[in-house]
Each structure stands twice: as structure tokens, then as C-alpha cells.
Amino acid sequence: MDYLQTQGIRLPRLGLGTYRMQGDICRAAVESALGLGYRHIDTAEMYGNEEAIGAAIAASGIKRGDLHVTTKVWNENLAPDAIRGAFDASLRKLKLDHVDLYLVHWPAKNMNLPAMFETLLKLKQEGRTGAIGVANFNVALLKSVVEEIKAPIACNQIEYHVMLDQTPVRKYLAAKSIPLVAYCPLAQGRAASDETLMAIGRKHNASAAQVALKWLLDQDSVAAIPKASRAESQQANLDALKLALDDQDRKAIASLPKNRRLVNPGFAPAWD
Ligand SMILES: NC(=O)c1ccc[n+]([C@@H]2O[C@H](COP(=O)([O-])OP(=O)(O)OC[C@H]3O[C@@H](n4cnc5c(N)ncnc54)[C@H](OP(=O)(O)O)[C@@H]3O)[C@@H](O)[C@H]2O)c1
């Protein structure tokens, strides 16, 4: 497994997304993924599955130091006391004494960025999270965090896949050496039935989903967190790392329409 080194943590470039999996289904999926060799699990207080993930981790017997766990604070809990409360609840549910990465899940309209990051930084200094970061931050917000507050963010987790251009955010992150963690890396499963990707896959004896994932993971400083509940898909996504795409494949992928944003709640920031 490849890793990205960022702000003192080692982030496995392929992780398991867990949104919309809860209870026993989530626990079984995470146990299966850990058994297959996944060492990066992505969750959030908002997903309502931290307890199931905690149970799967406890049952796995994997050494804590070999495992990367990301969780996130929801955007209604961004006041300093609320961050503390949400963080403590997440750790309790995950049955862990620290997480590896703690993210701001979504920006909120009236958030106080300096106060938020002061609180997050304290959690890092206390050793309760290995690193801090953000999700769904546009360039303007990133500039405030990185250039004004100077917070040591380990990543920006954003929607990124073969059907969505993210050039402005990508360029900004690259210039600041901040990794991009791609969510919805399979365009919520749509990549699996895309004709162009299927044709590329046939050439390499691979699936369209594997082509979509490898396209992401071939990019510098990009990690991806596909959600897969079935063991076959989890294994297929691991196997995607072995695929070798060529220039012709990349050209065909570049020509796909890139305007399919799938996650965009009303309170999202402008994506300039
Ligand atoms: N920070 C944020 O605001 C944010 C927002 C959205 C998502 N996320 C994170 O990103 C993760 C991934 O995003 P997502 O779950 O929305 O979408 P996704 O990973 O792009 O797609 C998941 C879908 O693809 C299917 N799939 C997985 N591997 C496959 C394969 N090899 N072949 C065919 N189909 C395959 C899954 O099916 P099965 O499950 O049936 O196997 C599921 O239906 C989330 O779970 C969450 O952890 C974060």
C-alpha cells in the first residue's frame, strides 16, 4: 500500500469510505476490508456508524499503529465547546484513545475559523488526533486557513472523480503541498457503468471502476476513499492499484464531461 506523508501522519492512499453503512452491515464491511488489507477507514459523526466501526476495529486485532482512522466534526458543532464534545463522543464510540485525522466536515455560514482551528490544534497538541484537516473547503476558505490562520492542515477532502473537474482547488492544494482526499471517487458508483471507462478496462482486463480509481491514484498527492460494502468490490478496488493506464487512456478520460458534481448541499461554499 502506498502512503502520503502529511503533517506528521502516514495516510494510506486507498481507504474505505463508510457513508450510508450502519450497524451490522457497516461492521461486517469494515471487518471484511480490514481482513483484505485496508488500513485506512473514513467515517464521520454524521454517518452514525462510529460504534460499528469501533467494534470492527476492536475485533480485528490490528495494531493501532498500523491503522489510520479519519473522523469528522459536523458543521453544527463548530463552536469550540461543541467541537470538544463531538470529538469526545467520536472517540468513545470508536473505542479509541486517539484518531489519526480529524476533519471539519463542511464549512458553516457563521463559523469562527480562528477559534475552530485553535480548538482543533489543541486536540492535535494533546495527542488525541494525529493531524487536523478540512473537507469541502473551496480556494477562498483554504486561503484563510492556510495563509491567515496558518493551520497545519493535513488534507482537504473533496468530491473528485473522472466526471468532475477540480482544477482550481487541486492547483491550490498542490502549490501548498496539501494532499487531496477524493470522496465519491467512483462518482457514487456511476463510474462502473461508463462506456469510455469500460472500453479502457477491457483493454487492461479490468473493470471501469478500477480504471476510475487508478486514474485518481496516479495523481500526485491524491488519496481515495471508495465505499464498498461487498468483499468482491473491496478486493477489486485494492487490485486497481496494479493497473497501468497509458497516455491514450488518460486522453480518453480527460475528454469525459467534467461537470457531474454529485454532493452539493445548499450551505456549500462557492466553488471558484
Ligand atoms: N467529506 C464529505 O463531505 C464526504 C461526502 C461524501 C462522501 N464522503 C466519503 O467518501 C466515501 C465514498 O463516497 P461515496 O460512498 O459517496 O461514493 P463512491 O465511493 O464513489 O461510490 C460508492 C458506490 O460504488 C460501489 N462500488 C464500490 N466499489 C465498486 C467496484 N469495484 N465496482 C462497482 N461498484 C463499486 C459501491 O457499491 P457497494 O457498496 O454496493 O459495494 C457504492 O454503491 C463515503 O463513503 C464517505 O466516507 C465524504
Side-chain angles (χ1 to χ4, degrees):
M1 176 69 72
D2 265 3
Y3 295 88
L4 297 176
Q5 302 286 348
T6 173
Q7 297 295 349
I9 58 167
R10 207 173 66 131
L11 180 72
R13 292 188 68 193
L14 184 67
L16 182 77
T18 64
Y19 186 35
R20 294 197 192 86
M21 289 197 293
Q22 291 180 327
D24 288 347
I25 289 175
C26 181
R27 179 179 170 160
V30 174
E31 280 184 9
S32 155
L34 293 174
L36 292 172
Y38 283 78
R39 292 295 179 265
H40 170 177
I41 307 294
D42 182 84
T43 181
E45 62 163 325
M46 191 270 253
Y47 299 170
N49 61 15
E50 290 171 308
E51 264 169 351
I53 289 169
I57 291 172
S60 75
I62 293 169
K63 275 200 299 200
R64 181 65 187 88
D66 292 338
L67 191 64
H68 173 99
V69 179
T70 296
T71 194
K72 316 182 189 86
V73 55
W74 187 234
N75 81 337
E76 289 164 0
N77 288 333
L78 296 180
D81 285 353
I83 293 178
R84 286 259 172 204
F87 183 83
D88 290 345
S90 287
L91 277 196
R92 202 167 47 245
K93 289 179 188 164
L94 287 163
K95 297 191 227 349
L96 298 175
D97 64 2
H98 72 282
V99 289
D100 301 280
L101 184 54
Y102 196 49
L103 304 183
V104 177
H105 200 151
W106 279 101
K109 276 207 182 89
N110 301 321
M111 61 189 172
N112 177 340
L113 281 176
M116 274 162 58
F117 281 95
E118 193 186 328
T119 309
L120 292 169
L121 211 48
K122 275 193 202 134
L123 292 174
K124 177 174 154 86
Q125 285 157 356
E126 290 162 7
R128 303 179 77 212
T129 181
I132 59 173
V134 296
N136 300 296
F137 272 40
N138 64 1
V139 173
L141 282 172
L142 286 171
K143 278 188 177 162
S144 302
V145 173
V146 175
E147 294 169 37
E148 288 165 31
I149 299 171
K150 301 194 190 313
I153 53 169
C155 76
N156 186 21
Q157 184 181 121
I158 55 171
E159 178 178 349
Y160 186 36
H161 46 73
V162 288
M163 300 173 188
L164 183 66
D165 178 48
Q166 284 284 23
T167 303
V169 186
R170 233 169 20 80
K171 280 197 175 154
Y172 184 81
L173 292 172
K176 300 292 176 190
S177 304
I178 299 169
L180 187 166
V181 177
Y183 76 66
C184 301
L186 301 174
Q188 294 177 344
R190 289 166 181 78
S193 54
D194 179 87
E195 294 291 341
T196 304
L197 302 178
M198 284 165 78
I200 297 171
R202 276 195 293 278
K203 205 170 100 182
H204 299 285
N205 200 17
S207 71
Q210 288 174 314
V211 171
L213 264 188
K214 191 57 183 353
W215 175 82
L216 282 172
L217 294 172
D218 276 343
Q219 300 175 38
D220 282 346
S221 263
V222 172
I225 47 170
K227 174 244 173 188
S229 54
R230 295 178 311 118
E232 298 75 26
S233 294
Q234 294 174 352
Q235 183 62 54
N237 295 343
L238 280 178
D239 291 341
L241 292 167
K242 299 179 203 148
L243 188 58
L245 299 177
D246 58 33
D247 287 346
Q248 199 188 5
D249 303 334
R250 279 186 282 274
K251 213 170 146 196
I253 294 171
S255 71
L256 291 174
K258 301 279 182 193
N259 57 358
R260 298 290 306 271
R261 187 181 292 283
L262 302 167
V263 180
N264 204 2
F267 50 83
W271 288 91
D272 43 34

